């Protein structure tokens, strides 16, 4: 059974998909730190060359296309069919799928990278261990993960509007950065870098970035 919060996310983003695609900046227009983090991630996954990169919560595909422009073999996954439709129309040369990061259909170890760019904050805290375990399962040993998300003091905020579209709810769960880091480590990831953008430094609210990788398989002893 699908958790009820996923259907709410789907309905809300379906409702604002066109407005979102029109109002949200292309990644080339992001602040320097955000572009630098995306660039570092792109360099890591292209250098490792372990498989394609999944952009989970890809929306209309702008970040997926940006990664591709940096040399990444990337495809997008989004819960909203309308977002995926817009992504396919805007970038017909790229692959986009309807799906959920809570139940990735990718096989074990098939991915060289996973990007979750402003998408995990919509998920309640209790769902994150399972989501991060899914990321770990689908990444190849040595594969890289980048999460960029809003952070806070365990607050839950519900907005009644978003992106200039109709009145639909948007839930945001803002966990402390250290708690997110701990959950990633519990899932088996090694964190290699963290960023924190305070409001006014390219972000309206505190935003944290986590670069991590899945350790290489350890050879059996003896």
């Amino acid at each position: 059974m699908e958790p009820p919060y996923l259907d709410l996310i789907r309905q809300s983003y379906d409702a604002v998909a066109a407005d979102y695609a029109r109002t949200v900046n292309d990644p080339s227009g992001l602040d320097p730190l955000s572009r630098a983090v995306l660039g570092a991630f792109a360099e890591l996954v292209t250098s490792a060359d372990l498989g394609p990169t999944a952009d989970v919560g890809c929306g209309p595909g702008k970040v997926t296309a940006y990664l591709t422009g940096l040399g990444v073999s990337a495809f997008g996954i989004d819960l909203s069919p309308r977002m995926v439709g817009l992504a396919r129309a805007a970038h017909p040369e790229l692959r986009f799928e309807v799906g959920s990061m809570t139940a990735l259909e990718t096989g074990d170890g098939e991915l060289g990278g996973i990007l979750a760019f402003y998408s995990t904050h919509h998920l309640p805290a209790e769902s994150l261990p399972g989501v991060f375990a899914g990321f770990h399962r689908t990444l190849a040993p040595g594969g890289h993960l980048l999460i960029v998300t809003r952070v806070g003091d365990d607050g839950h905020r519900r907005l009644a509007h978003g992106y200039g579209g109709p009145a639909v709810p948007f839930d945001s769960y803002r966990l402390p950065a250290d708690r997110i880091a701990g959950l990633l480590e519990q899932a088996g990831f090694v964190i290699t870098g963290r960023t924190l953008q305070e409001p006014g430094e390219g972000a309206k609210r505190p935003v944290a970035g986590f670069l991590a990788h899945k350790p290489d398989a350890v050879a059996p002893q003896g």
Side-chain angles (χ1 to χ4, degrees), residues 4-16:
Y5 67 83
L6 288 182
D7 190 49
L8 181 62
I9 295 170
R10 180 186 299 108
Q11 290 183 38
S12 294
Y13 274 104
D14 271 350
V16 303

Side-chain angles (χ1 to χ4, degrees), residues 68-204:
T68 301
L70 296 177
V72 178
S73 175
F75 69 99
I77 301 171
D78 200 274
L79 194 62
S80 162
R82 290 189 180 177
M83 285 289 196
V84 170
L86 290 172
R88 289 170 174 168
H91 309 285
E93 75 284 5
L94 301 181
R95 169 184 159 203
F96 295 96
E97 302 173 354
V98 177
S100 172
M101 71 177 75
T102 64
L104 293 174
E105 296 182 0
T106 310
D108 294 359
E110 287 188 2
L111 299 175
I114 295 176
L115 171 67
F117 197 70
Y118 291 96
S119 52
T120 58
H121 70 95
H122 288 307
L123 306 178
E126 60 269 19
S127 71
L128 291 181
V131 169
F132 293 167
F135 290 172
H136 190 273
R137 175 186 65 79
T138 54
L139 274 176
H144 294 277
L145 169 69
L146 172 60
I147 294 176
V148 177
T149 187
R150 307 189 199 286
V151 292
D153 296 320
D154 273 326
H156 172 210
R157 185 180 182 191
R158 170 166 285 189
L159 299 177
H161 294 81
Y163 310 105
V168 289
F170 289 92
D171 287 321
S172 182
Y173 301 87
R174 298 172 189 176
L175 276 64
D178 286 345
R179 185 174 176 194
I180 296 172
L183 291 173
L184 287 170
E185 290 170 345
Q186 289 173 24
F189 286 102
V190 175
I191 296 175
T192 53
R194 289 172 58 170
T195 61
L196 177 63
Q197 290 175 271
E198 299 291 355
E201 298 181 1
K204 295 180 180 179

Side-chain angles (χ1 to χ4, degrees), residues 33-54:
L33 180 57
S34 295
R35 295 198 311 273
V37 171
L38 285 171
F41 174 70
E43 183 175 344
L44 287 167
V45 296
T46 54
S47 297
D49 194 23
L50 295 172
T53 290

